[in-house]
Amino acid sequence: MGARAAPSRRRVAGRRLRYLPTGSFPFLLLLLLLCIQLGGGQKKKENLLAEKVEQLMEWSSRRSIFRMNGDKFRKFIKAPPRNYSMIVMFTALQPQRQCSVCRQANEEYQILANSWRYSSAFCNKLFFSMVDYDEGTDVFQQLNMNSAPTFMHFPPKGRPKRADTFDLQRIGFAAEQLAKWIADRTDVHIRVFRPPNYSGTIALALLVSLVGGLLYLRRNNLEFIYNKTGWAMVSLCIVFAMTSGQMWNHIRGPPYAHKNPHNGQVSYIHGSSQAQFVAESHIILVLNAAITMGMVLLNEAATSKGDVGKRRIICLVGLGLVVFFFSFLLSIFRSKYHGYPYSFLIK
């Protein structure tokens, strides 16, 4: 039985060899070479990605924000592979550009980047960089960018979407607002740490000292404390500051004004009802003060018992102040709330 079984196995093996297709060996060889090539390409991508991340970590160890020109931008941001998010500030910090907003935004951006760099959650999934117009003009042209400063998020995969561009005009460029936007786009939460600022404490101490010294010098005559006019002036100053948007400026940190990079025209009034400039708040404060002064003069002309001619002049001056500056205030309101139908004197 054992001698007859062995030839049977040899015949089966021979039969199997005869039935193998003659063209399968080149196909198998080609498939093997393709697998080797794909494996080598994947390994090459992994090595390239590791080199890019290592280089970015080295730059981050030196400074929290690294500057990029056109070549670096294309290599580390545009070209794959990439498994990290990149926040880029497009700006124009050279003195000849005269971009004061860029310098203010850069200070907030630096605070944010330092908060991330020195936090315990720091990792190689998020980096901060900067492209200056004079160092990367080709990048601005490639992105069709015509204004600065601009903040953009470049995700690990795919192209940036509309929400990956920070709405600076509406929100402002405070570090806290930037951190909230980054958390929405990357799920990386950054706790902003600001360097200690003692200017407010020093100013408060000087004010308390001044008031204390004044009270000490006038300790024998404190009737001025009961002066209604003085307290009315202080109250009006507070009301003007609050109604002009100073608290909004403090929270949002908007720029003082906006300079068009193409024609150099400076805008002091923001064109949207959702935002404002610091200069706009100052303008509104002056207009409200002028209208209030006109109302005070009208009241004085009506209640005083002096010369009739003098009262008439005071009345005309007060009426002129109210009419002119209220018209100016209404025109600003119309420029921000498009479609508002009413106007008075000034359109």
Side-chain angles (χ1 to χ4, degrees), residues 104-147:
Q104 297 171 10
N106 181 56
E107 293 176 359
E108 293 294 316
Y109 191 52
Q110 191 71 50
I111 291 174
L112 176 64
N114 288 336
S115 300
W116 168 245
R117 172 64 184 83
Y118 297 106
S119 69
S120 58
F122 175 74
C123 63
N124 58 4
K125 298 301 181 183
L126 178 65
F127 297 98
F128 291 85
S129 63
M130 176 189 302
V131 177
D132 193 281
Y133 179 79
D134 294 283
E135 299 172 0
T137 308
D138 53 337
V139 178
F140 278 74
Q141 295 174 351
Q142 179 183 353
L143 298 176
N144 295 322
M145 194 171 295
N146 53 16
S147 64

